[in-house]
Amino acid sequence: MKFKAPLVTLGAGLVVAGVLYTLNVDLSNDVEKNKAAANQAATTAAPAPAASTQPAADPPPSSAPASGTPAGDGSGNAAQQGTVTYAGAVDGGAASLAIVVNNGKAIAYVCDGKKVEAWLNGTMANGQVDLTGAKGSLKGTYGGGQVKGTVTAATKSWGFTVKVAAPPSGLYRSAASLRNKLDASWVVLPDGRQVGVQTRNGETSEAPPFDVNSRTATVDGTKVPIEAGNPNASSGY
């Protein structure tokens, strides 16, 4: 009986230790579970990344016509929109030609720079050109920035293809009120060259050059006004 007390005490100690161990394990498990639950809650509650506030890129610009080409040219109805000038040499280079069209009305001048010349007027619409005059005619088609056809002056006839030309290219004539001093007409080509014919004292010859900036020509010391061809003028030119 003397040895029972220590044994009981030892047994009681082991029981207490076991209980404490169990409590520590349970407590540790509870702490880990609480941490996991807290982490999951934080993840669920975290706000989604803010949407980008950077503006969207601008859409690509729409295509536009090439600089120098009249709007609508090539559609078969270019002559119906504003004023368009075409200028160039006939096939083979024997003569020069300029055509000016405005809202379907057109005029043209062709000359060889010596004696042969013709002023023409008529219509230019729906892809077709039909011009006539006292000394010749012009028939052709237009589109894609050019006019193509056949032109006749006196007994001469030429095929041609002339393209849209920027000022001062075009056709010109001395002012009607002063044609007693100078009756001359010119084609100004895209490269600046002037090809013209004049009539003075009943004689026809190469026209002298004129100043395209001031639009004047000097005749016997007097400046004579030079006018650009206008399809809408009462005379046509």
Side-chain angles (χ1 to χ4, degrees):
M1 296 299 293
K2 292 181 181 180
F3 298 101
K4 287 183 179 181
L7 290 176
V8 171
T9 301
L10 178 60
L14 291 175
V15 171
V16 172
V19 172
L20 290 177
Y21 174 78
T22 301
L23 289 175
N24 285 336
V25 170
D26 291 342
L27 181 60
S28 297
N29 290 338
D30 289 342
V31 170
E32 292 300 325
K33 289 179 181 180
N34 289 338
K35 284 183 180 181
N39 288 338
Q40 182 176 2
T43 301
T44 304
S52 173
T53 58
Q54 182 177 358
D58 292 335
S62 59
S63 58
S67 176
T69 301
D73 186 65
S75 66
N77 290 299
Q80 305 305 306
Q81 304 178 30
T83 298
V84 184
T85 297
Y86 303 83
V90 301
D91 297 347
S96 295
L97 170 67
I99 304 169
V100 178
V101 57
N102 178 271
N103 296 326
K105 295 180 179 180
I107 59 173
Y109 177 65
V110 58
C111 74
D112 65 356
K114 299 173 183 178
K115 292 185 176 182
V116 177
E117 65 174 343
W119 277 94
L120 313 165
N121 63 17
T123 60
M124 183 170 171
N126 300 318
Q128 301 295 315
V129 188
D130 188 2
L131 312 179
T132 59
K135 297 181 180 180
S137 64
L138 184 154
K139 293 185 182 297
T141 59
Y142 69 91
Q146 65 182 21
V147 180
K148 183 176 183 179
T150 301
V151 61
T152 299
T155 61
K156 304 287 187 179
S157 183
W158 303 280
F160 70 86
T161 300
V162 290
K163 297 182 179 181
V164 170
S169 298
L171 46 84
Y172 297 83
R173 192 172 187 180
S174 54
S177 61
L178 295 173
R179 286 178 190 163
N180 61 325
K181 291 183 176 293
L182 177 67
D183 186 357
S185 303
W186 297 264
V187 172
V188 176
L189 297 168
D191 62 6
R193 288 185 298 123
Q194 299 178 16
V195 181
V197 169
Q198 68 171 350
T199 300
R200 295 188 67 192
N201 302 320
E203 296 292 329
T204 302
S205 61
E206 181 180 359
F210 72 98
D211 187 329
V212 294
N213 295 315
S214 64
R215 291 189 183 177
T216 58
T218 302
V219 180
D220 299 331
T222 302
K223 287 188 176 182
V224 178
I226 306 301
E227 300 174 343
N230 180 4
N232 296 313
S234 58
S235 64
Y237 40 82

